Amino acid sequence: MKNEDYLQILSRFRLEDKPVAAEPFGNGHINDTLKVTTDRGEDKYVLQRINHAIFTDVEMLQRNIQTVTNHIRQILVDRGESDIDRRVLTFLPADNGKTFHFDGANYWRVSLMIPRSKSYDVVNEAFSYEAGKTFGEFQLMLSDLPEGALGETIPNFHNMEFRLEQFRDALKTDAAHRLSSVADLVDAIEQRAEAMCIQEKLFREGKLKKRTNHCDTKVNNILFDDADGKALCVIDLDTVMPGYVLSDIGDFIRTGANTGAEDDACLDNVGVDMEIFKAYTRGYMETAKGFLTPLEISLLPYGGRLLTYMQTVRFLTDYINGDTYYKIHYPEHNLVRTRAQYKLLQSLETHAAEMDDFMKAYL
């Protein structure tokens, strides 16, 4: 699309300032994100094309986000917080009164840019501690949302039993004729399958409850103040929905505590950084411990293994299916991602006892 096409879409939103340019921004896997500059030379808005092949119910998606941001905003107001517009995302209405616009082919939304902020893809212990506190507080602030307040924007998103069903369907079909080249990975996944379905079993037994989770707790989904490095705001709210608490600590362990990249081609780079794990967990427990059960606390390190295993399964499923879900940058990208995630899983398994021992201080 050309700049004038983006400006035409932006004209359908109720903006205070006149946009003059939109350019790609960030590196998300699912949606297309653009930074919007105004005639004042200010980067003021963020324009996103919502991937409605993934988020099939855009109306519900945006209703979820509005429920979450309104709830957090009211809590911040009640606390007497200052600079609230930097602490929670603000989505702007389109001319139809909704927080999205459909142009006949695509769904679009606009939010305010959080000024004087930055995100990080790789973090140190200090940022990990801040991230833990922030995601823990995010869950805490949403812990009193009534049941049914939010829908599942991606049904069964972190349901391991469901992901294994998808995986086994992919094996049966072998749509891209790639199965013979990944037999070792298929075996590794199947060997662990039963042990990785604990949360669904505990839920059916009434021992584990569903909570409101972010479900994508990468460190780059937090904005930090560019002056003092303190966490400001949780972003990327598309997957905020009911789920198991293991998701939110687990996905950070998978991403933030990885010594390599999610798609690292050099497996020697990949492993768990125990100091990052400990820093994040200290921050997370500082804000989240009050609403967690002892069972949930004891399972938090398992959440890291679970989410890493789950992502291994999902990347391999997509590779076997012919790369139909995730954006790829070269033909074997999903396979490289799979092997990197599996290497991280092996490292987490090696450190499992140490991680479990660390959690005992919080029980």
Side-chain angles (χ1 to χ4, degrees):
M1 294 181 68
K2 298 179 181 178
N3 190 63
E4 51 263 36
D5 297 322
Y6 294 126
L7 295 181
Q8 179 61 36
I9 292 162
L10 287 161
S11 72
R12 305 302 299 269
F13 288 86
R14 300 171 188 173
L15 309 181
E16 291 183 356
D17 297 321
K18 181 181 178 181
V20 295
E23 59 184 62
F25 183 58
N27 56 3
H29 286 322
I30 307 300
N31 299 319
D32 296 324
T33 304
L34 300 107
K35 176 176 63 177
V36 179
T37 305
T38 70
D39 56 354
R40 299 184 181 186
E42 179 184 10
D43 296 333
K44 186 166 184 178
Y45 304 112
V46 176
L47 172 67
Q48 283 190 310
R49 173 165 43 195
I50 301 168
N51 186 336
H52 61 277
I54 306 300
F55 301 106
T56 56
D57 189 340
V58 174
E59 186 97 37
M60 184 250 280
L61 170 73
Q62 290 302 110
R63 185 169 61 249
N64 269 16
I65 291 173
Q66 203 65 23
T67 297
V68 166
T69 53
N70 287 348
H71 191 79
I72 292 174
R73 186 176 294 274
Q74 187 59 56
I75 288 173
L76 296 174
V77 169
D78 292 344
R79 288 180 182 175
E81 299 268 1
S82 60
D83 212 7
I84 290 175
D85 286 340
R86 296 179 74 216
R87 298 289 312 282
V88 61
L89 290 176
T90 301
F91 287 84
L92 303 178
D95 52 15
N96 60 7
K98 299 179 179 181
T99 57
F100 65 90
H101 164 67
F102 182 59
D103 66 4
N106 294 293
Y107 292 86
W108 301 86
R109 65 187 173 201
V110 175
S111 61
L112 290 178
M113 182 81 74
I114 304 293
R116 304 181 306 284
S117 67
K118 63 173 64 174
S119 65
Y120 298 90
D121 290 314
V122 180
V123 299
N124 56 26
E125 291 175 40
F127 283 135
S128 296
Y129 171 75
E130 282 292 318
K133 281 177 57 179
T134 303
F135 280 124
E137 183 183 36
F138 182 82
Q139 283 187 312
L140 175 63
M141 287 192 289
L142 299 176
S143 62
D144 62 346
L145 279 178
E147 185 176 350
L150 303 179
E152 286 189 73
T153 56
I154 304 179
N156 295 306
F157 186 48
H158 282 169
N159 182 325
M160 194 64 249
E161 292 177 340
F162 174 74
R163 294 301 183 186
L164 283 168
E165 287 177 16
Q166 290 183 312
F167 171 67
R168 287 162 181 158
D169 287 343
L171 298 183
K172 292 175 186 175
T173 305
D174 193 15
H177 307 292
R178 292 171 167 175
L179 185 55
S180 61
S181 66
V182 294
D184 61 322
L185 291 167
V186 172
D187 288 344
I189 286 169
E190 290 292 4
Q191 288 169 11
R192 294 165 171 81
E194 184 177 355
M196 288 299 172
C197 293
I198 290 175
Q199 63 179 1
E200 289 80 22
K201 179 175 180 290
L202 290 173
F203 176 73
R204 286 192 291 270
E205 293 173 352
K207 298 175 182 177
L208 196 64
K209 64 184 296 185
K210 289 192 175 183
R211 302 186 182 277
T212 301
N213 298 316
H214 185 276
C215 294
D216 192 16
T217 50
K218 298 179 180 67
V219 70
N220 59 13
N221 282 334
I222 293 177
L223 294 181
F224 293 83
D225 190 292
D226 60 12
D228 63 14
K230 298 296 184 182
L232 284 173
C233 179
V234 173
I235 61 173
D236 197 354
L237 306 178
D238 292 334
T239 55
V240 177
M241 55 184 161
Y244 306 107
V245 74
L246 307 184
S247 293
D248 278 9
I249 191 166
D251 213 26
F252 186 89
I253 294 170
R254 182 185 74 82
T255 55
N258 187 353
T259 57
E262 183 179 70
D263 58 354
D264 211 313
C266 180
L267 297 182
D268 289 341
N269 295 336
V270 178
V272 61
D273 185 324
M274 286 298 297
E275 296 311 310
I276 295 295
F277 159 73
K278 291 175 182 177
Y280 181 86
T281 303
R282 282 193 291 267
Y284 180 79
M285 293 304 294
E286 187 173 312
T287 49
K289 183 180 179 182
F291 69 87
L292 298 176
T293 67
L295 176 61
E296 287 173 321
I297 293 171
S298 68
L299 285 173
L300 291 179
Y302 166 81
R305 301 191 292 277
L306 171 62
L307 268 291
T308 304
Y309 173 81
M310 186 181 298
Q311 200 58 52
T312 304
V313 171
R314 293 182 65 193
F315 282 144
L316 185 57
T317 299
D318 200 31
Y319 179 72
I320 294 169
N321 282 335
D323 310 309
T324 60
Y325 186 89
Y326 293 106
K327 292 179 183 178
I328 60 170
H329 301 295
Y330 52 88
E332 298 291 292
H333 198 177
N334 271 324
L335 181 57
V336 170
R337 287 165 168 158
T338 302
R339 293 199 180 279
Q341 289 296 284
Y342 179 53
K343 176 64 183 302
L344 177 61
L345 175 61
Q346 291 174 304
S347 178
L348 287 164
E349 290 171 342
T350 299
H351 289 87
E354 183 182 355
M355 297 170 84
D356 290 342
D357 284 344
F358 183 79
M359 293 309 304
K360 290 178 181 177
Y362 296 99
L363 292 170

